[in-house]
Amino acid sequence: MLDRRSLSPSLIRSLEVFVAVAETGQMRSGARLLGLSQPAASQHIASLEKAFGTRLIDRSVRPARLTHAGLRLHNRAQKILHALSDMESELRHVGQASISLLRVGIQASIATTLTPSLVALVQSEFGVEDITLHAGQSGNHEHLLRTKQADLAITSNPFLDMDGLERHHILKEDYLLVLPSGYDGPTDNLEAIQKRLPLVRFGDTTNAGRKIAQHLRRLRFEPDKVIQADRSSMVTSCVSAGQGFSLLTPTLLIDGMVENMKLRLMELPVVGLSRTLTVVARQGELRNLPTAVAELSKRKLMHQIVEHVGEIGSKSVDHA
């Protein structure tokens, strides 16, 4: 029988931690996603296991995996968290002409560019009183949307496998070849370039990193040396210092170009590598706010691309 006395008042938080750990597959990753330490996340899981009198995670194998009870709880916990979020959203909007609270996930590479204008828009035109912003990768946004900890995401993944979402196109952009400013070697062949410089790219833990690696494998290009990082500023700073070359889109280059990093930009000598930015929100909850955010994002990003990345960046973007 469930020992209700052992259920902490922070049960909902414990369920959030459990879902985060279950979906990331690691205690450390789940804790980081929620801004907790690993010991704190472990304590939440231990509290749930004590309350329900059963093991939820099998720690005897590596990587750890959910037990049968853990799988059952994961399914129930998702429904509970979704129901609570639906209730919160409904009560927030009842009888109100404005949206009192807005929680937004923003792709880390464009967060600095968009945040001031985004805050100004939702405050002045939609009367939003409280705003919470999360910068991160698309994987973070997926978790935030699934667990209803975010109302809207500006992201590089439209999450087409998730139901109940509305999607608003911002732009599609091709990747560019990014070289140190002083590089004077061949530029028409990636194999020739990597004989002189290692490839600097997003890590395999990011959606962009996996996409680039998969595309290059299809082209049968596997560089001998690779430097991986999970932020565009880290990638561009390495290239600017002459430590390698990279493949980046115009929006991924904005922060580096604003910082006056010395880079040489060229069209990529391979085809088919691009990314799309989209505003994703739960269907019908925010009225016309997602559309307005998409239009603002398009205008702001195109302005920054034209001003800082230049003509080559503008030519590689389709914002229709």
Side-chain angles (χ1 to χ4, degrees):
M1 178 181 293
L2 174 64
D3 182 2
R4 296 184 184 277
R5 292 171 301 176
S6 65
L7 284 173
S8 165
S10 62
L11 171 62
I12 299 304
R13 186 57 168 170
S14 295
L15 291 177
E16 289 176 342
V17 173
F18 175 73
V19 170
V21 171
E23 294 187 350
T24 60
Q26 292 183 331
M27 191 74 68
R28 180 179 299 174
S29 298
R32 184 165 56 244
L33 194 61
L34 297 178
L36 298 174
S37 66
Q38 185 171 339
S42 297
Q43 183 58 49
H44 278 287
I45 302 299
S47 296
L48 288 175
E49 291 181 328
K50 180 180 178 182
F52 293 111
T54 185
R55 286 289 177 188
L56 301 173
I57 298 177
D58 184 355
R59 299 171 178 81
S60 67
V61 296
R62 291 291 182 271
R65 62 189 178 198
L66 297 183
T67 63
H68 179 67
L71 291 170
R72 295 286 295 273
L73 179 61
H74 182 222
N75 182 51
R76 292 298 185 96
Q78 286 182 310
K79 292 179 180 179
I80 290 169
L81 295 175
H82 288 175
L84 286 171
S85 182
D86 287 342
M87 179 178 66
E88 179 191 8
S89 296
E90 181 179 348
L91 294 177
R92 277 198 282 130
H93 299 308
V94 169
Q96 293 188 6
S98 62
I99 300 168
S100 60
L101 171 66
L102 182 67
R103 300 162 299 182
V104 181
I106 309 180
Q107 199 77 27
S109 56
I110 56 176
T112 301
T113 297
L114 293 183
T115 293
S117 299
L118 174 63
V119 170
L121 171 75
V122 299
Q123 285 181 332
S124 63
E125 296 191 22
F126 294 92
V128 176
E129 299 171 1
D130 296 313
I131 307 168
T132 301
L133 303 171
H134 304 275
Q137 306 295 334
S138 60
N140 304 119
H141 303 152
E142 180 176 8
H143 173 76
L144 292 172
L145 288 167
R146 285 189 185 278
T147 57
K148 299 195 174 182
Q149 296 178 69
D151 305 302
L152 176 147
I154 306 171
T155 182
S156 61
N157 188 336
F159 309 121
L160 297 177
D161 61 330
M162 292 177 63
D163 296 328
L165 299 178
E166 58 182 272
R167 300 168 180 86
H168 302 271
H169 178 74
I170 298 175
L171 55 82
K172 179 181 178 181
E173 52 182 353
D174 294 330
Y175 278 76
L176 298 171
L177 175 62
V178 185
L179 298 158
S181 61
Y183 177 80
D184 59 0
T187 59
D188 59 349
N189 184 287
L190 295 182
E191 290 282 0
I193 298 172
Q194 69 95 30
K195 290 179 180 178
R196 295 177 175 235
L197 293 170
L199 174 65
V200 187
R201 68 167 176 83
F202 283 95
D204 292 331
T205 58
T206 67
N207 182 59
R210 291 190 295 271
K211 183 175 182 179
I212 292 171
Q214 291 166 2
H215 190 80
L216 294 180
R217 279 197 296 271
R218 287 195 293 270
L219 297 173
R220 302 187 184 279
F221 173 65
E222 297 190 23
D224 298 328
K225 298 179 180 179
V226 177
I227 300 171
Q228 297 188 30
D230 65 359
R231 289 290 185 271
S232 58
S233 57
M234 298 165 71
V235 174
T236 49
S237 62
C238 284
V239 177
S240 178
Q243 296 170 335
F245 77 100
S246 190
L247 316 177
L248 295 170
T249 66
T251 60
L252 290 169
L253 284 161
I254 291 173
D255 284 353
M257 302 304 281
V258 167
E259 294 294 327
N260 293 316
M261 292 186 185
K262 304 303 180 183
L263 303 168
R264 181 181 175 188
L265 308 180
M266 304 186 67
E267 291 185 7
L268 196 61
V270 296
V271 297
L273 188 56
S274 64
R275 81 165 184 169
T276 300
L277 296 176
T278 307
V279 170
V280 181
R282 289 194 294 279
Q283 188 73 44
E285 286 193 3
L286 300 174
R287 300 190 291 277
N288 62 335
L289 186 148
T291 302
V293 170
E295 290 299 322
L296 169 75
S297 300
K298 183 184 302 183
R299 291 195 306 272
K300 187 66 177 178
L301 291 172
M302 284 307 304
H303 174 77
Q304 293 293 86
I305 289 169
V306 170
E307 181 173 353
H308 296 289
V309 185
E311 182 179 358
I312 190 169
S314 302
K315 287 172 57 179
S316 66
V317 175
D318 178 3
H319 56 90

